[in-house]
Amino acid sequence: MVFSVCAIAAAKPTSGVVFDASKGVAGSVTMPNGEIVNYTAYTNLYYVTNVEDSTYQYMNVFIPESADQSTPIFMPNYVGGYMAAEPRFIDAGDASGRALAEGYVVVIPGARGRNSVVKGENGKDIYTGRAPKALLDLKAGIRYLRHFDKEMLGNAEIIITDGTSAGGAMSALLGATGNNPSYEKYLKEMGAFDERDDIFAAVCFCPIIDLEHADAAYEWLYSCTNNITRPLSEEQVQVSKELSLQYPAYLNSLNLKMQDGTPINSENYLDYIKSLLIKSAQEAKDNGAEIPDSIGFSFNNRAIFAPPINGGEKPKRAKRPRPMGMPKMQGEYITGLDINKYLNYVVSVTPLKTPPAFDSQGVAGSRASGENEEFGNEKGSSVNFTDYSLQKASGDANAHISPEIAELVRLMNPMNFISDTNSNVAPHWYIRHGSKDRDTAFSVPINLATKLQNEGKDVNFKLAWNRPHSGDYALNEMFGWIKLILGE
């Protein structure tokens, strides 16, 4: 990175929202393979007229030398834990660097988050980024790109977003809520351009979504580990049971179907998860990974039968030759999975959250989570966002969250918008969740991917083998998919 690019990053917002193609600054980045990629950088591009927090509400744009007006735009966000993310520069080691090297325009927007604050006139902190502010900032950034599409190299009709964890949720929300009028009043208040904000494709690593059902999903899946690998108090065990019992009705209400049309319900859902884990493990095994049977997988016998010739002798066992360099494995095919054993293995790698995993404030002795803060107000409050946790925390069995909180929760869940005819949902999706990622239940990203598939979207989904809670991995695979959807 050349110093001239960094030197202008601290500029204050100018009046109005502008883009001047003559203001670009030359820069370069050296990739891990030694390749030097040159670009023109445009920094401090404020995307709204009513800038509430100048630390975050702008973007940096990097245009490679090969770009023209038709070049796709890759737009990663660095939101994590629903916290604020400042606009970054190109990182040779992640997807931003790879995208630039592939010849794509890279746009890195900032976004407010639950921890972003400014000082009010009375000197008190004003929290600027509580829900749905981060999403609104990113939508405003997309509208900025569309507004200046003719002036800026790159094609704003081919925007590919990318994010991990809460950033994965943002990418999923951008993909699911394109042009939905539910956000319009907020965007107008911010001074966003009156443009479309739908995108071409969404890359979502371990998205933390469906927060209103995430606690029930977590306990439904992981309650088999209680007091085996997840020590709980008596009160926590009771909370786990109660939440677990809530989830089947929600699963059934989704009316999901497998790719062959088989209905998915609470009775066969564990088998559905098992099939996806087995598929992931088998792919890894075929590529040389050793998959132990100690974590729940079962295997067939490596030996196979040769067919009889012309009705002759009985078939004899024939050993299948092992490819050069392939490690010795117990069996060639994975035939089954003890899901409880596997889940206890996951817990042994990374301890689980205690119940409730997300809406934890005041329940069974738990403190507020980041999600409780996310739905708080500009004064910095933390609030319960589900009826169940509010009732437990308050001791009032008839308590309900306010309509205002309920609306914020709705706006932050892409599952609520995929079937909404008022949304222009992205046609292409790349969704990954690690096979040992316990930050949310496997069913959360699985439901997202399956619902999108059921709506006819192009979805590339995988429970990536042996991956924890992480993103921007297997970039060869990811950018191969991007080339495929671009027809390159």
Side-chain angles (χ1 to χ4, degrees):
M1 190 86 51
V2 296
F3 290 106
S4 56
V5 174
C6 298
I8 62 174
K12 296 296 182 181
T14 58
S15 59
V17 180
V18 299
F19 175 76
D20 185 343
S22 69
K23 299 295 185 181
V25 178
S28 66
V29 62
T30 302
M31 299 300 293
N33 63 1
E35 177 189 5
I36 297 176
V37 182
N38 298 315
Y39 58 77
T40 300
Y42 296 89
T43 60
N44 269 70
L45 301 178
Y46 286 84
Y47 44 70
V48 291
T49 56
N50 300 327
V51 177
E52 183 181 25
D53 195 330
S54 61
T55 304
Y56 303 105
Q57 291 182 281
Y58 66 92
M59 61 172 58
N60 295 331
V61 176
F62 306 89
I63 301 178
E65 288 180 320
S66 61
D68 58 27
Q69 214 62 48
S70 65
T71 300
I73 297 172
F74 186 78
M75 182 175 160
N77 77 77
Y78 291 92
V79 173
Y82 287 99
M83 292 188 288
E86 291 187 47
R88 297 191 186 184
F89 294 91
I90 295 294
D91 184 338
D94 72 8
S96 66
R98 177 62 180 270
L100 195 75
E102 293 286 345
Y104 306 138
V105 172
V106 177
V107 174
I108 305 180
R112 294 167 293 172
R114 62 182 171 88
N115 62 328
S116 57
V117 294
V118 296
K119 291 293 182 183
E121 292 181 358
N122 58 4
K124 292 185 178 181
D125 287 340
I126 297 175
Y127 286 78
T128 63
R130 300 303 172 90
K133 298 290 185 66
L135 174 60
L136 296 174
D137 284 348
L138 297 174
K139 279 181 168 289
I142 290 170
R143 291 181 173 206
Y144 177 98
L145 294 174
R146 277 227 166 77
H147 189 78
F148 292 111
D149 195 22
K150 292 182 180 179
E151 291 81 3
M152 185 188 300
L153 294 180
N155 187 351
E157 294 302 315
I158 311 178
I159 297 175
I160 302 162
T161 61
D162 171 41
T164 297
S165 191
M170 294 301 150
S171 187
L173 281 159
L174 291 171
T177 66
N179 311 318
N180 193 286
S182 296
Y183 305 90
E184 194 61 38
K185 64 177 182 179
Y186 304 103
L187 289 162
K188 284 184 178 179
E189 290 172 359
M190 294 164 59
F193 282 115
D194 185 14
E195 301 281 359
R196 290 169 30 230
D197 54 48
D198 56 295
I199 62 172
F200 178 70
V203 174
C204 313
F205 286 97
C206 50
I208 301 297
I209 63 165
D210 203 5
L211 293 175
E212 59 264 51
H213 305 106
D215 288 329
Y218 208 79
E219 300 312 314
W220 181 81
L221 184 66
Y222 284 114
S223 59
C224 66
T225 72
N226 290 348
N227 292 326
I228 300 175
T229 45
R230 180 170 71 156
L232 298 179
S233 68
E234 289 185 13
E235 187 179 6
Q236 288 171 332
V237 168
Q238 183 61 30
V239 169
S240 177
K241 288 179 180 178
E242 291 172 358
L243 285 169
S244 178
L245 290 172
Q246 294 178 9
Y247 201 54
Y250 174 64
L251 277 178
N252 295 336
S253 74
L254 293 174
N255 296 312
L256 300 176
K257 291 181 173 61
M258 299 183 196
Q259 287 185 313
D260 64 1
T262 302
I264 300 172
N265 53 50
S266 58
E267 298 299 317
N268 64 8
Y269 199 95
L270 274 180
D271 288 333
Y272 186 44
I273 294 176
K274 285 166 58 176
S275 70
L276 293 168
L277 286 167
I278 290 171
K279 180 180 179 182
S280 175
Q282 184 68 64
E283 180 180 306
K285 190 173 177 49
D286 291 345
N287 284 306
E290 294 195 53
I291 312 295
D293 60 359
S294 60
I295 62 176
F297 290 99
S298 54
F299 306 85
N300 76 329
N301 192 317
R302 171 173 285 278
I304 60 172
F305 285 100
I309 300 174
N310 296 328
E313 297 180 359
K314 292 181 179 180
K316 298 179 180 179
R317 284 187 178 272
K319 294 290 186 180
R320 177 172 292 175
R322 186 180 299 117
M324 292 291 291
M326 182 70 76
K328 183 178 181 180
M329 295 176 285
Q330 179 170 344
E332 185 164 1
Y333 299 112
I334 299 173
T335 58
L337 174 62
D338 181 333
I339 189 68
N340 286 0
K341 192 172 184 179
Y342 183 79
L343 293 173
N344 275 279
Y345 155 71
V346 172
V347 176
S348 71
V349 175
T350 307
L352 287 178
K353 304 173 185 179
T354 54
F358 297 93
D359 191 0
S360 58
Q361 178 170 282
V363 183
S366 296
R367 297 179 179 179
S369 68
E371 288 76 17
N372 290 130
E373 290 185 2
E374 171 70 1
F375 295 108
N377 62 23
E378 65 177 13
K379 295 180 180 180
S381 67
S382 297
V383 299
N384 292 113
F385 53 87
T386 63
D387 286 346
Y388 176 84
S389 288
L390 179 60
Q391 290 164 9
K392 285 290 183 180
S394 66
D396 181 358
N398 297 313
H400 296 282
I401 61 173
S402 69
E404 292 77 17
I405 298 297
E407 175 64 1
L408 296 179
V409 173
R410 185 185 78 87
L411 292 175
M412 293 298 289
N413 187 357
M415 296 293 288
N416 297 326
F417 294 91
I418 294 170
S419 299
D420 188 339
T421 56
N422 291 314
S423 285
N424 294 108
V425 180
H428 305 286
W429 294 74
Y430 183 95
I431 305 171
R432 291 293 184 270
H433 187 90
S435 67
K436 60 179 184 182
D437 181 350
R438 69 8 146 211
D439 276 45
T440 194
F442 293 137
S443 58
V444 171
I446 291 173
N447 289 346
L448 173 66
T450 306
K451 187 172 180 65
L452 287 163
Q453 288 171 339
N454 292 171
E455 291 290 332
K457 305 306 177 186
D458 166 40
V459 181
N460 186 310
F461 173 70
K462 188 185 298 184
L463 293 174
W465 181 249
N466 208 33
R467 291 284 182 181
H469 194 66
S470 56
D472 274 9
Y473 50 75
L475 292 183
N476 287 343
E477 181 182 85
M478 173 180 153
F479 280 92
W481 173 80
I482 291 175
K483 288 181 179 180
L484 182 67
I485 64 172
L486 293 174
E488 296 180 352

